[in-house]
Amino acid sequence: MLFVICSILPAALLFSGCGDSQDQTAAPAHNQSAAADSNTSSKTAAAGAGSSATGAGDCSVVDGQQAAAALGGTFVGSKEIPNPPANQVHCTLNVKIEGTEKVFVIWQMPAEDYADLKSFEEDPVTDVTGVGDKAFITFHPNEQRYDMAAAKAGKFTVEVTGDDQGQVKQLVSLIISQY
């Protein structure tokens, strides 16, 4: 069973939901999650930067093929759910790694959201160096998920969740390094 982020923070900062990858739909503002659509391709265009490719349902935050290769896996699919009222983009990225399908939930938001995002974390936060201008990671034991956020000053904040700390860090590093 694949798990998707299950974290509760104020709706103005982060919107997420709980469930497995077989029965998920988008919901308004808070409590939002979606299973990846395996019939989509990905494109890159975080915060209005980067290159793009065509395809409905793509995740504009990261190229799925490139992310899968960086993680040593195979791209399965991605799905993007824009959240214009909060100026955020929410994506799911499905990658098959060593025979197991993994779901990563990715958020791209304004750079200034980083401090508030960090201050609302309830589980212990560990600062991470060498990724963006500032970054932190936390582990949510109830969901068995790692949650890492990094900021690129004046550009954007990206947050990624997944069940493997190393993979989450690798994905955040890839996204941040592209901009």
Side-chain angles (χ1 to χ4, degrees):
M1 177 199 268
L2 296 172
F3 293 97
V4 177
I5 184 174
C6 185
S7 176
I8 300 174
L9 293 177
L13 297 175
L14 176 69
F15 314 109
S16 61
C18 300
D20 63 38
S21 66
Q22 297 176 1
D23 184 26
Q24 298 174 19
T25 57
H30 69 294
N31 200 21
Q32 183 179 44
S33 183
D37 179 350
S38 62
N39 295 322
T40 63
S41 62
S42 291
K43 62 184 177 179
T44 304
S51 62
S52 66
T54 60
D58 299 340
C59 180
S60 65
V61 178
V62 67
D63 180 283
Q65 297 286 347
Q66 186 179 17
L71 294 169
T74 305
F75 176 66
V76 176
S78 64
K79 185 168 184 169
E80 179 173 299
I81 300 128
N83 190 0
N87 196 23
Q88 296 181 349
V89 175
H90 164 239
C91 298
T92 57
L93 173 67
N94 287 39
V95 177
K96 188 171 273 191
I97 302 171
E98 297 178 2
T100 302
E101 190 169 326
K102 304 272 191 148
V103 177
F104 299 91
V105 180
I106 305 166
W107 292 91
Q108 179 244 317
M109 59 198 86
E112 59 272 9
D113 285 1
Y114 178 87
D116 287 338
L117 185 63
K118 185 176 181 182
S119 72
F120 281 102
E121 278 295 338
E122 293 178 6
D123 293 310
V125 171
T126 302
D127 289 325
V128 177
T129 59
V131 181
D133 297 316
K134 51 191 167 190
F136 71 86
I137 193 164
T138 190
F139 180 70
H140 299 287
N142 292 338
E143 294 84 27
Q144 294 294 297
R145 304 270 301 171
Y146 290 90
D147 183 353
M148 182 172 176
K152 191 97 172 200
K155 295 193 183 252
F156 66 98
T157 292
V158 65
E159 180 178 22
V160 176
T161 70
D163 65 359
D164 181 278
Q165 182 177 9
Q167 293 168 349
V168 168
K169 283 182 177 179
Q170 195 169 8
L171 192 50
V172 170
S173 295
L174 172 66
I175 293 167
I176 287 287
S177 72
Q178 294 177 344
Y179 305 98

